[in-house]
Amino acid sequence: DLERQGQGQVVTCSGTMKDGSLRVVRNGIGINEQAAVELPGIKGLWSLRESFDSEFDKYLVQSFLGETRVLEITEEELGETE
């Protein structure tokens, strides 16, 4: 909430090249936070599917300055993979 209005929002990248823009979507959006984890030093976070045809994401990739971790998402848990 950049304007501190207590309203959820999503920032999107839309378009390409000279017609590209950043857009803030606010009205009518409902954000339901499923979990929150505070990780000091995290630089990036991505979810990945096991295959293109998978319905749900299976892995969570965490990027830190000195390392990258891959977590596996199961029905009940989130844990590091080998």
Side-chain angles (χ1 to χ4, degrees):
D1 185 12
L2 295 174
E3 297 170 356
R4 302 193 191 284
Q5 296 178 356
Q7 187 176 29
Q9 61 189 20
V10 173
V11 178
T12 66
C13 298
S14 302
T16 62
M17 309 284 280
K18 66 180 180 75
D19 296 320
S21 65
L22 291 176
R23 298 175 187 228
V24 178
V25 180
R26 286 185 269 207
N27 294 334
I29 187 169
I31 298 175
N32 185 8
E33 186 175 292
Q34 297 295 317
V37 178
E38 291 191 29
L39 297 168
I42 197 161
K43 299 296 180 190
L45 189 66
W46 300 271
S47 61
L48 300 173
R49 295 184 181 191
E50 187 170 33
S51 70
F52 183 78
D53 296 326
S54 297
E55 186 176 355
F56 301 105
D57 295 326
K58 182 167 182 169
Y59 301 101
L60 190 62
V61 179
Q62 302 172 318
S63 174
F64 297 87
L65 192 56
E67 69 178 316
T68 299
R69 295 181 189 161
V70 179
L71 305 177
E72 184 175 7
I73 303 167
T74 63
E75 288 183 27
E76 299 289 326
E77 297 180 1
L78 179 65
E80 286 196 54
T81 62
E82 294 291 323

